[in-house]
Amino acid sequence: MPLTDQVALVTGGAQGIGREIALVLAKAGADLALFDIKADTLERTVQELRALGRRAEGFVVDVTDGKQVDEGVVKVLDKLGRLDILINNAGITKDGLIVRMDDAQWDRVLAINLTGAFLCTRAAARVMLRQRRGRVVSIASIVGLIGNPGQANYAASKAGVIGLTKAVAKELASRGVTCNAVAPGFIKTEMTEALPEAAKQRLQNAIPMGTLGEPHDVAQAVLFLVSDAARYITGQVLVVDGGLAM
Ligand code: NAD
């Protein structure tokens, strides 16, 4: 069990990719803390994690609120004793062409996807620096690398997450803390369920491996980056996209 006695915090961990990451880290031995705004779904996932024999705690925390994030991290330490791994996964889309995108659409996506990652990384880094050990992995997107029409806000937020990752990697490298990003392509979740059938078909045809990815594919990449196998890797973006963004 490579992650025995480690505590991992997954934001947006109630469902989708975050839930799968939490399950994979728990199966690797970690105890889990989840931040999410969906209380019911959060509770269900916490029960699933406990059923695996791990300690697990869910906290209703909105990652855009610095006070809630800081207090949430204090509660994680209180309940689980330490914090070794942070996975910045909470994220949303609010798509629209640039000429029709309103300020609220822009602000909300940036607030959750980028400011949320900043607030959680800052709070976790303070703990990890004291421990002189830690792993931060942020879920970016290939859209942050190559852009996508109708997603100026989302692409900017995910490119921002990659910049944040590299800056923090350089700041914390000498203190035993690594910071990396995983950039998924198109993964089967509620987020991609919302796409029209014709768009999904077009996408599938464009992916060299011929299919959308599964949340498990992203979770396996995260597991690698938080494990000792990746101890000498920091500031990197690991693309998990079936070859789409080559
Ligand atoms: P999802 O909508 O299924 O799950 C997102 C989770 O984040 C939900 O549980 C939601 O309640 C939570 N959340 C939303 N706002 C929050 C907030 N303010 N504070 C705390 N939690 C909040 O989405 P998903 O498809 O599982 O995506 C997870 C991550 O992966 C996102 O960052 C997304 O951008 C990224 N991603 C997804 C895909 C894909 O194809 N699904 C591709 C690339 C990247």
Side-chain angles (χ1 to χ4, degrees), residues 182-198:
V182 170
F186 290 90
I187 308 296
K188 286 181 204 147
T189 65
E190 262 184 35
M191 194 178 263
T192 47
E193 263 320 297
L195 289 171
E197 204 43 52

Side-chain angles (χ1 to χ4, degrees), residues 106 109-110 113-114 138-147 151-167 181 183 237:
W106 172 269
V109 169
L110 269 290
N113 298 8
L114 182 55
S138 296
I139 309 303
S141 166
I142 57 163
V143 170
L145 295 169
I146 62 172
Q151 292 199 309
N153 50 359
Y154 186 75
S157 73
K158 294 301 188 179
V161 163
I162 290 169
L164 170 73
T165 296
K166 292 182 181 186
V237 182

Side-chain angles (χ1 to χ4, degrees), residues 32-146:
L32 262 300
L34 307 181
F35 283 179
D36 209 291
I37 48 176
K38 289 188 184 161
D40 294 354
T41 325
L42 182 61
E43 191 46 39
R44 212 175 317 134
T45 304
V46 166
Q47 294 305 337
E48 280 182 278
L49 293 164
R50 287 183 182 154
L52 293 171
R54 296 289 162 268
R55 291 189 301 159
E57 299 290 339
F59 304 96
V60 177
V61 168
D62 181 337
V63 296
T64 67
D65 182 329
K67 188 162 175 284
Q68 285 186 37
V69 168
D70 288 349
E71 288 172 1
V73 167
V74 169
K75 286 183 199 158
V76 172
L77 296 176
D78 199 41
K79 293 262 186 192
L80 297 170
R82 47 188 298 119
L83 177 57
D84 305 281
I85 297 165
L86 167 68
I87 313 298
N88 287 311
N89 164 82
I92 60 160
T93 52
K94 281 194 184 295
D95 297 351
L97 296 172
I98 186 73
V99 289
R100 287 197 219 118
M101 185 172 288
D102 62 35
D103 296 8
Q105 250 173 311
W106 172 269
D107 289 343
R108 192 69 189 141
V109 169
L110 269 290
I112 296 178
N113 298 8
L114 182 55
T115 306
F118 155 66
L119 293 171
C120 293
T121 303
R122 183 177 66 183
R126 289 173 177 152
V127 179
M128 290 172 181
L129 282 173
R130 280 201 301 274
Q131 291 173 178
R132 298 193 72 81
R133 184 172 183 287
R135 293 276 192 270
V136 179
V137 177
S138 296
I139 309 303
S141 166
I142 57 163
V143 170
L145 295 169
I146 62 172

Side-chain angles (χ1 to χ4, degrees), residues 166-211:
K166 292 182 181 186
V168 175
K170 285 186 176 176
E171 277 187 43
L172 304 185
S174 66
R175 315 284 287 278
V177 180
T178 69
C179 188
N180 291 287
V182 170
F186 290 90
I187 308 296
K188 286 181 204 147
T189 65
E190 262 184 35
M191 194 178 263
T192 47
E193 263 320 297
L195 289 171
E197 204 43 52
K200 255 187 267 181
Q201 199 52 53
R202 258 199 319 278
L203 250 176
Q204 206 143 312
N205 295 341
I207 298 170
M209 291 183 80
T211 175

